């Protein structure tokens, strides 16, 4: 296959280099990724300026842009290549539960699906980053079998991998997104109290059996199928009834 690779940690991050190392064994890969860390960029697109891709070396491009920008450019005219698959990552840190709303790594995969390609987002679920090779091997195995996954056209796979040696991985689990508690309070900057840092993610709230949190805690690879339709269908009638009361 010909695979487009992107991420939100930047083209020079260890995770994306590991992903390229393992996927290029059996496939042709092209990297189009941000020039620096764009974590938590979500699905933002840059519309107020033109974007300048820079070819770092053959088949590796850096762009001062978001992950969604990078995937959009690569699939919509920047390159002549015709791709079969989009893979984003390997993210440094988990994308579990509510994280997927903010994640640039997941957003890059979403953009790939918007533009018609099967897409996977790969994350190493730790801030220690000791075992990127484990994630690289898991990504290689998933990609090798992706053509056999009978997924609907709008499905994105969000994959989180425990940060442990490959021999300690207990297997794969199909999971749902867990939930976090409310995020921590914003923190004043220590040098300028008029400025604030966004608070840390909230702790795990829903992490029971079947969730992505549970799988990672028990050393399973978590594979969560995601969809983009955010409509809350069971509330449509409730909202319709409410609207009827508005004059």
């Amino acid at each position: 296959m010909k695979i487009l690779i992107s991420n939100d940690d930047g083209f020079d991050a260890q995770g994306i280099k590991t992903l390229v190392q393992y996927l290029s064994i059996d496939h042709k890969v092209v990297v189009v990724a941000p020039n620096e860390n764009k974590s938590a960029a979500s699905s933002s697109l840059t519309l107020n300026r033109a974007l300048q891709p820079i070819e770092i070396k053959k088949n590796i491009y850096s762009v001062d842009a978001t992950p969604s920008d990078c995937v959009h450019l690569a699939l919509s005219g920047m390159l002549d290549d015709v791709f079969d698959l989009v893979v984003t990552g390997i993210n440094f840190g988990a994308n579990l539960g509510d994280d997927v709303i903010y994640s640039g790594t997941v957003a890059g995969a979403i953009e790939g699906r918007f533009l018609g390609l099967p897409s996977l987002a790969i994350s190493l679920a730790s801030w220690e980053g000791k075992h990127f090779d484990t994630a690289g091997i898991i990504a290689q195995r998933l990609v090798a079998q992706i053509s056999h996954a009978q997924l609907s056209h709008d499905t994105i796979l969000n994959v989180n991998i425990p940060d442990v040696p490959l021999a300690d991985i207990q297997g794969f689990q199909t999971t749902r997104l867990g939930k976090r508690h409310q995020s921590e309070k914003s923190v004043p900057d220590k040098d300028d109290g008029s400025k604030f840092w966004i608070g840390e993610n909230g702790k795990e709230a829903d992490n029971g059996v079947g969730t992505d949190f549970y799988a990672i805690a028990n050393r399973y690879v978590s594979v969560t199928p995601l969809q983009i339709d955010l409509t809350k269908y069971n509330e449509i009638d409730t909202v319709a009834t409410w609207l009827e009361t508005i004059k």
Side-chain angles (χ1 to χ4, degrees):
M1 290 189 291
K2 185 174 287 187
I3 301 172
L4 174 64
I5 292 178
S6 193
N7 72 349
D8 70 3
D9 293 324
F11 77 96
D12 202 35
Q14 181 180 354
I16 200 168
K17 290 179 177 178
T18 302
L19 191 60
V20 168
Q21 174 190 343
Y22 282 96
L23 295 190
S24 62
I25 293 172
D26 298 310
H27 310 280
K28 179 178 179 181
V29 302
V30 177
V31 173
V32 183
N35 66 332
E36 60 183 3
N37 192 308
K38 300 288 186 179
S39 294
S42 191
S43 287
S44 58
L45 292 174
T46 302
L47 303 178
N48 61 346
R49 60 182 173 86
L51 302 175
Q52 176 65 66
I54 297 173
E55 187 171 12
I56 303 302
K57 57 184 180 181
K58 183 176 175 58
N59 290 329
I60 298 181
Y61 298 87
S62 164
V63 192
D64 181 13
T66 69
S68 294
D69 286 329
C70 292
V71 173
H72 191 95
L73 288 176
L75 298 181
S76 300
M78 174 190 141
L79 302 173
D80 294 330
D81 304 71
V82 177
F83 292 98
D84 302 296
L85 179 69
V86 174
V87 183
T88 58
I90 300 166
N91 191 65
F92 178 34
N95 278 308
L96 300 168
D98 308 335
D99 302 343
V100 301
I101 298 297
Y102 305 100
S103 169
T105 298
V106 174
I110 289 171
E111 192 67 21
R113 254 311 183 194
F114 278 160
L115 296 172
L117 291 182
S119 300
L120 296 86
I122 311 287
S123 300
L124 184 65
S126 163
W127 289 117
E128 296 181 2
K130 292 181 178 179
H131 300 284
F132 276 102
D133 282 329
T134 298
I137 292 168
I138 295 296
Q140 183 185 35
R141 292 178 181 177
L142 289 171
V143 167
Q145 296 296 321
I146 193 66
S147 63
H148 300 296
Q150 301 299 311
L151 301 173
S152 63
H153 72 281
D154 59 349
T155 301
I156 303 100
L157 295 181
N158 184 45
V159 181
N160 282 270
I161 300 162
D163 190 9
V164 298
L166 185 64
D168 292 341
I169 295 290
Q170 299 301 301
F172 294 84
Q173 287 190 353
T174 307
T175 54
R176 64 177 176 85
L177 297 178
K179 292 184 175 62
R180 294 186 182 275
H181 288 290
Q182 184 175 326
S183 63
E184 302 294 329
K185 292 184 177 180
S186 299
V187 180
D189 185 83
K190 64 180 180 179
D191 297 319
D192 184 348
S194 67
K195 298 178 180 179
F196 291 84
W197 294 95
I198 295 293
E200 294 184 2
N201 285 345
K203 305 301 182 184
E204 298 171 14
D206 177 8
N207 59 1
V209 174
T211 66
D212 47 5
F213 287 117
Y214 183 89
I216 291 300
N218 289 277
R219 296 190 171 183
Y220 285 89
V221 175
S222 166
V223 182
T224 307
L226 304 179
Q227 63 181 2
I228 307 308
D229 184 353
L230 300 180
T231 307
K232 192 171 183 182
Y233 289 96
N234 63 352
E235 293 282 13
I236 287 179
D237 290 343
T238 301
V239 173
T241 301
W242 168 63
L243 289 176
E244 289 173 359
T245 69
I246 299 176
K247 306 299 182 182

